[in-house]
Amino acid sequence: MPGVTFTPPPVPSSTAPLRSAVRYGVIALIVLAVVSTVVAYLVAGTPGLWGALIGSAVGGVFILATAASVLWSANLPPTTVGAVLLGGWLAKMLVAIVVLGILRGMDFYSRPALGLVLLASLLIVLGAETVGVLRQRAPYVDTPPSDGK
């Protein structure tokens, strides 16, 4: 058709899959926290509620911190990205050990609820992040700049 020009769709940013992963992970964590808290409360009472809340918080933050640090460092040099990821991993391990060490001597929460929800949050949030990455369209190659031809 004369006079009709084709405009290609905008190319998504290279960080679009990471942003999508974080978004899907946060949504999955919120849903898991609500559902697991209700179920744990019905099964184990108030200790179950606290166990589910702590488990979803520790597990969700543990997984989402990695995706967020990768997103934050996406435009940095590769060695800096490696340092950020390694430092983040070490910090997450230290925080998890400290939190679980502090909770070890307390009895206001249900340990089975905390353990089950912690494991579920790791699996569900990681799965949601994977779905978020896979559903996002991202260019495989960079297009060369047009020179007006």
Side-chain angles (χ1 to χ4, degrees):
M1 294 164 85
V4 176
T5 59
F6 173 72
T7 312
V11 176
S13 158
S14 62
T15 60
L18 295 171
R19 286 185 279 122
S20 179
V22 171
R23 183 174 49 252
Y24 275 63
V26 167
I27 292 168
L29 180 61
I30 291 169
V31 170
L32 174 72
V34 170
V35 170
S36 65
T37 301
V38 169
V39 170
Y41 180 74
L42 293 175
V43 171
T46 305
L49 177 131
W50 284 112
L53 285 175
I54 294 167
S56 60
V58 170
V61 168
F62 195 85
I63 293 294
L64 287 171
T66 300
S69 65
V70 170
L71 179 60
W72 175 78
S73 64
N75 296 323
L76 298 176
T79 53
T80 306
V81 172
V84 167
L85 291 178
L86 180 60
W89 184 82
L90 290 172
K92 288 188 314 183
M93 284 300 193
L94 182 62
V95 168
I97 289 170
V98 168
V99 166
L100 294 176
I102 290 170
L103 289 173
R104 185 173 188 196
M106 299 181 181
D107 61 353
F108 70 93
Y109 66 97
S110 167
R111 288 183 183 202
L114 181 133
L116 288 173
V117 175
L118 179 68
L119 181 62
S121 67
L122 293 172
L123 295 174
I124 290 172
V125 173
L126 185 58
E129 287 179 346
T130 303
V131 169
V133 168
L134 294 176
R135 286 194 174 178
Q136 185 64 43
R137 297 180 136 212
Y140 287 99
V141 295
D142 288 332
T143 57
S146 74
D147 56 355
K149 292 183 182 179

